[in-house]
């Protein structure tokens, strides 16, 4: 990925008005909650973390939930959970649609909130449910997690990023009360590699990216990290082509993406590759590895 800076992608200076509004909602309502759950994509925990979050939450107890863990490399996800815990941040892997990890997430959230709720009771207040806010960039599965926690479709879901917009309170039984807020994305992608990985997963709307370029970089990354997944999925034998466009063309031919004259329909092939990755058809894949030292310090989260 060393050639990333030479790509034609602009610095992702995408910060729509609704993103700023979302940040304002979060800042204005943080005083209402006891715990913040930071929802990350388990495939790209570093790239899907919001670097402004530590500043925004300003000392609130924080829990990391690594969602879409069913799509991520299990071994790497365990390493990420251990990494966050070493940083003093409770973490749990979850698969919201299937409900995996949800009970642990709830119990950890209640434990984090207990000192605050106990303190209120000691001062004469009536016992109340723990109040929680879930924060995450678009398309990390926030609505799916909320629906699983609530036991019904309380939050509107869609495959496109950024569909959750308005603030809403959701009761999660007697012990948790959730303040839903829109997902937020940072205002400038200074880390180009992180921006590319977000594009791979669909966290950035496909209409806002150069799909040919994104697919090429994705294939280059997969060829370096998970070559056997490409061979298995697309029935490729031997060494993979070193040039991404040659690899895409080979995949396109294997998948029958041909037009008149036997030419590969590269746009169709690009859609197939990205869809296969996002749906898990390329197998469990993790594109962010946890630091082996303190390289991902608190101020980088």
């Amino acid at each position: 990925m060393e050639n990333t800076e030479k790509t034609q992608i602009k610095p992702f200076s995408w910060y729509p008005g609704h993103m700023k509004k979302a940040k304002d909602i979060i800042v204005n309502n943080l005083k209402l909650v006891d715990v913040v759950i930071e929802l990350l994509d388990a495939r790209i925990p570093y790239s899907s973390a919001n670097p402004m979050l530590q500043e925004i939450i300003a000392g609130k107890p924080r829990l990391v939930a690594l969602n879409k863990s069913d799509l991520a490399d299990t071994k790497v996800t365990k390493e990420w959970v251990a990494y966050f815990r070493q940083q003093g941040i409770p973490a749990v892997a979850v698969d919201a649609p299937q409900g995996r990890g949800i009970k642990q997430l709830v119990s950890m959230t209640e434990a984090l909130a207990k000192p605050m709720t106990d303190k209120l009771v000691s001062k004469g207040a009536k016992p109340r449910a723990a109040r929680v806010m879930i924060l995450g960039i678009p398309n990390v599965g926030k609505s799916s997690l909320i629906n699983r926690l609530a036991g019904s479709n309380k939050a509107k879901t869609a495959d496109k990023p950024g569909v959750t917009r308005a603030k809403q309170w959701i009761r999660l039984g007697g012990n948790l009360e959730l303040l839903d807020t829109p997902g937020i994305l940072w205002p400038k992608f200074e880390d180009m590699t992180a921006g590319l990985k977000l594009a791979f997963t669909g966290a950035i709307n496909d209409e806002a990216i150069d799909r040919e370029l994104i697919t090429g970089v994705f294939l280059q990354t997969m060829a370096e990290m998970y070559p056997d997944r490409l061979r298995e999925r697309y029935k490729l034998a031997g060494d993979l082509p070193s040039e991404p466009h040659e690899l895409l063309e080979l995949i396109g031919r294997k998948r029958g993406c041909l037009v008149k004259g036997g030419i590969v329909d590269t746009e169709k092939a690009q859609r197939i590759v990205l869809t296969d990755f996002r749906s898990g058809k390329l197998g469990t894949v993790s594109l962010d590895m946890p630091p082996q030292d303190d390289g991902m310090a608190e101020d980088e989260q």
Side-chain angles (χ1 to χ4, degrees):
M1 300 264 306
E2 59 275 357
N3 294 326
T4 296
E5 66 275 12
K6 297 179 182 178
T7 66
Q8 299 174 0
I9 298 180
K10 296 180 180 179
F12 293 104
S13 54
W14 176 58
Y15 196 41
H18 73 267
M19 294 294 181
K20 182 181 184 305
K21 182 179 179 182
K23 179 184 174 182
D24 292 342
I25 290 173
I26 290 166
V27 171
N28 292 336
N29 288 280
L30 267 171
K31 61 182 178 292
L32 302 176
V33 303
D34 306 313
V35 175
V36 170
I37 296 175
E38 180 184 13
L39 191 62
L40 303 178
D41 187 323
R43 297 168 296 180
I44 51 169
Y46 173 73
S47 299
S48 59
N50 189 311
M52 297 187 299
L53 184 64
Q54 194 64 22
E55 174 188 348
I56 290 171
I57 65 176
K60 287 282 182 182
R62 169 178 160 214
L63 167 67
V64 166
L66 297 169
N67 197 28
K68 304 189 179 183
S69 61
D70 59 311
L71 301 177
D73 188 319
T74 302
K75 179 177 179 294
V76 177
T77 299
K78 289 180 179 178
E79 292 174 358
W80 272 108
V81 169
Y83 170 78
F84 281 115
R85 290 177 179 174
Q86 288 169 3
Q87 303 300 309
I89 304 169
V92 59
V94 299
D95 172 7
Q98 298 300 318
R100 298 188 186 97
I102 297 300
K103 288 183 178 179
Q104 187 180 4
L105 174 64
V106 169
S107 64
M108 291 171 72
T109 303
E110 291 174 347
L112 273 180
K114 195 173 188 302
M116 177 61 70
T117 54
D118 285 352
K119 183 178 179 180
L120 292 173
V121 172
S122 71
K123 291 184 176 181
K126 293 181 179 180
R128 64 162 174 78
R131 293 173 178 170
V132 184
M133 181 186 291
I134 298 178
L135 299 182
I137 66 168
N139 214 36
V140 290
K142 206 153 69 69
S143 295
S144 296
L145 176 60
I146 292 168
N147 292 340
R148 171 61 63 174
L149 288 168
S152 60
N153 291 329
K154 298 288 186 180
K156 184 178 180 183
T157 60
D159 291 333
K160 291 188 176 181
V163 73
T164 310
R165 299 191 183 278
K167 180 182 75 173
Q168 54 183 328
W169 281 99
I170 301 172
R171 290 287 297 188
L172 307 178
N175 296 321
L176 284 179
E177 195 170 54
L178 174 69
L179 175 62
D180 183 31
T181 54
I184 58 173
L185 201 64
W186 51 86
K188 186 176 181 181
F189 293 88
E190 295 180 349
D191 185 336
M192 189 65 69
T193 300
L196 288 165
K197 291 175 183 176
L198 289 166
F200 298 163
T201 64
I204 301 171
N205 197 304
D206 282 348
E207 282 77 23
I209 65 174
D210 181 338
R211 187 163 55 199
E212 178 181 1
L213 183 61
I214 292 297
T215 308
V217 178
F218 172 72
L219 286 173
Q220 181 182 9
T221 304
M222 287 294 294
E224 293 170 357
M225 298 180 69
Y226 295 97
D228 288 342
R229 302 288 171 81
L230 294 178
R231 293 190 183 99
E232 181 179 352
R233 175 63 182 169
Y234 302 115
K235 296 179 173 55
L236 307 177
D239 294 336
L240 300 177
S242 58
E243 291 297 327
H245 71 274
E246 293 179 4
L247 180 53
L248 178 66
E249 186 162 310
L250 180 59
I251 291 171
R253 290 191 181 280
K254 287 288 186 178
R255 292 302 300 268
C257 303
L258 302 176
V259 294
K260 189 174 180 180
I263 298 172
V264 173
D265 182 343
T266 55
E267 289 190 7
K268 183 176 180 180
Q270 290 159 18
R271 288 194 296 271
I272 287 173
V273 168
L274 292 179
T275 299
D276 282 353
F277 168 61
R278 294 168 184 174
S279 64
K281 291 179 180 177
L282 285 178
T284 54
V285 171
S286 291
L287 300 177
D288 280 343
M289 302 297 151
Q292 299 304 310
D293 50 31
D294 294 332
M296 186 179 170
E298 281 292 305
D299 59 353
E300 292 179 32
Q301 298 271 331

